Amino acid sequence: MTNNKRYYTLDTHLKEIFNEKIGKISLDGYFTCPNIDGKVGYGGCIYCSREGSGEFSGSIKGDNLYTQYQNQKNIISKKWPKINKYIAYFQSFTNTYASLEVLKEKYEEALSLDNIVGLSIGTRADCISDEILDYLSELNGRTYLWVELGLQSSNDKTGKLINRCHDFIDFKNTTLRLKERGIRVCVHIINGLPNETYTDMINTLKDIERLGIDGIKIHLLHVLSDTMLYKYYIQGNLRLLERNEYIRLVVDQLELLSENVIIHRLTGDAPKNKLIGPKWSENKISILNDIDKLLKERDSWQGKYKLEY
């Protein structure tokens, strides 16, 4: 691997494509989800906050895309002053859950912003119609595009418990449809979901690896104060992963992934004012460093034990 990592990072991949470091700017398109508004369910996924995973988008409710972009760009420039190209990331809630006309308006506006070189669109497997797929395919032909699908677990019992309201077959079919069009697919999974065993979490990794995914985000389950999961947690129904347990699990998962799968994340961020646990997750850099350390101790790397089909 490159970039002093034993896995294939998104930063490395983007430098290969663009020959420079690329920033990623979270934008709020003010969408909702079909398991919030009643189309397939109510309440949303039990771990989602009121912002729908968009706490770090930097937006004030009502800000247009241009204002959000400028605000985020100013923040990023203080940390990485040499970055001058960006990917627009529609993150909060389900960003293909609207009419084609609305999606075109928002995506095209984002692409028109100065120094935007691509799009990343977070969505659900049950919210990509044929006409939206056709449009995504057309976008993919003229810009750098990722579609990020929130799976979390391939175990349908877990899917029901977290109120995802679609099953793994839906996810598999959508992934294959996107792949047939040559569209990059990044899959989100969560380690530590209620009642999941080590085997469940490894099986999720194996199930998505078999589909030929292009990228992955591995998240730690966070319990946030304004979620249904918090109520589940205080009733004693959830065991939080220990720090070393999580690190070992992520390394085990990396070893099974093909070496060409791009690693977008190995843990997640949570707003400190809402985080109930695990509190050890607040030191993200330390977690990433210890993942690197364990890979080195094992003399291991991404793809060391990749699956054979």
Side-chain angles (χ1 to χ4, degrees):
M1 301 297 167
T2 58
N3 203 28
N4 298 317
K5 297 289 185 181
R6 291 175 177 243
Y7 51 89
Y8 186 22
T9 67
L10 178 63
D11 182 64
T12 297
H13 166 73
L14 291 174
K15 287 175 180 175
E16 291 170 351
I17 298 293
F18 296 101
N19 297 313
E20 61 184 289
K21 188 173 182 66
I22 303 296
K24 194 171 182 182
I25 289 184
S26 295
L27 299 175
D28 191 340
Y30 306 116
F31 297 97
T32 184
C33 295
N35 65 340
I36 290 177
D37 68 6
K39 182 175 181 180
V40 297
Y42 293 96
C45 295
I46 65 172
Y47 51 80
C48 255
S49 69
R50 295 186 185 95
E51 286 79 16
S53 78
E55 287 91 354
F56 298 101
S57 66
S59 66
I60 298 173
K61 203 67 176 176
D63 280 353
N64 59 33
L65 295 182
Y66 174 80
T67 301
Q68 293 179 51
Y69 174 62
Q70 294 299 327
N71 290 342
Q72 282 286 290
K73 191 167 65 168
N74 290 338
I75 293 169
I76 290 174
S77 66
K78 293 176 182 177
K79 187 174 183 180
W80 294 294
K82 294 184 179 180
I83 289 181
N84 54 33
K85 292 181 181 177
Y86 306 90
I87 292 169
Y89 178 25
F90 285 92
Q91 178 181 17
S92 303
F93 299 104
T94 302
N95 294 277
T96 59
Y97 188 46
S99 69
L100 182 60
E101 291 72 22
V102 168
L103 298 183
K104 284 184 175 181
E105 179 185 349
K106 293 183 184 293
Y107 298 167
E108 299 298 340
E109 180 181 355
L111 285 172
S112 73
L113 297 169
D114 290 343
N115 299 320
I116 290 291
V117 295
L119 288 177
S120 194
I121 300 167
T123 189
R124 293 164 51 100
D126 59 345
C127 291
I128 300 181
S129 65
D130 288 341
E131 66 173 2
I132 291 173
L133 181 61
D134 287 341
Y135 175 53
L136 292 174
S137 182
E138 188 265 322
L139 276 177
N140 192 51
R142 58 185 169 92
T143 194
Y144 177 84
L145 178 68
W146 281 94
V147 173
E148 302 193 23
L149 294 178
L151 173 66
Q152 322 317 347
S153 173
S154 63
N155 185 328
D156 283 337
K157 289 184 179 179
T158 302
K160 289 181 180 179
L161 192 155
I162 65 176
N163 198 40
R164 189 180 60 203
C165 297
H166 68 75
D167 59 23
F168 182 68
I169 292 298
D170 292 328
F171 168 83
K172 178 179 178 180
N173 290 340
T174 296
T175 299
L176 293 176
R177 289 167 67 222
L178 289 163
K179 292 292 295 173
E180 286 171 359
R181 302 292 189 101
I183 298 170
R184 298 175 189 86
V185 176
C186 176
V187 181
H188 295 215
I189 66 173
I190 296 178
N191 288 329
L193 288 166
N195 302 332
E196 290 233 314
T197 65
Y198 170 87
T199 299
D200 291 324
M201 291 178 270
I202 290 295
N203 283 343
T204 290
L205 191 286
K206 290 179 177 179
D207 287 339
I208 62 174
E209 160 69 14
R210 292 187 183 100
L211 297 177
I213 63 170
D214 303 282
I216 188 170
K217 284 186 177 179
I218 301 176
H219 294 271
L220 167 68
L221 181 69
H222 291 117
V223 179
L224 304 182
S225 57
D226 60 345
T227 63
M228 290 300 296
L229 183 66
Y230 175 58
K231 297 178 181 179
Y232 193 85
Y233 172 68
I234 61 176
Q235 291 169 356
N237 296 320
L238 175 65
R239 183 187 74 84
L240 299 180
L241 292 179
E242 299 290 339
R243 186 179 188 278
N244 288 339
E245 183 182 14
Y246 182 77
I247 290 166
R248 288 193 300 270
L249 173 60
V250 169
V251 170
D252 291 347
Q253 290 171 323
L254 284 172
E255 290 175 337
L256 295 172
L257 273 175
S258 295
E259 63 274 10
N260 61 339
V261 175
I262 299 160
I263 310 301
H264 291 232
R265 273 187 179 273
L266 290 181
T267 187
D269 298 294
K272 291 185 179 181
N273 64 325
K274 294 183 181 180
L275 180 64
I276 302 300
K279 287 293 188 179
W280 57 259
S281 68
E282 292 179 325
N283 194 341
K284 180 179 175 181
I285 298 300
S286 175
I287 297 165
L288 294 175
N289 287 342
D290 281 353
I291 289 170
D292 292 344
K293 181 179 178 181
L294 183 55
L295 283 165
K296 186 174 182 180
E297 287 175 356
R298 289 186 183 183
D299 189 24
S300 192
W301 54 87
Q302 178 182 340
K304 183 174 184 178
Y305 304 117
K306 67 179 179 181
L307 302 173
E308 300 293 336
Y309 313 124

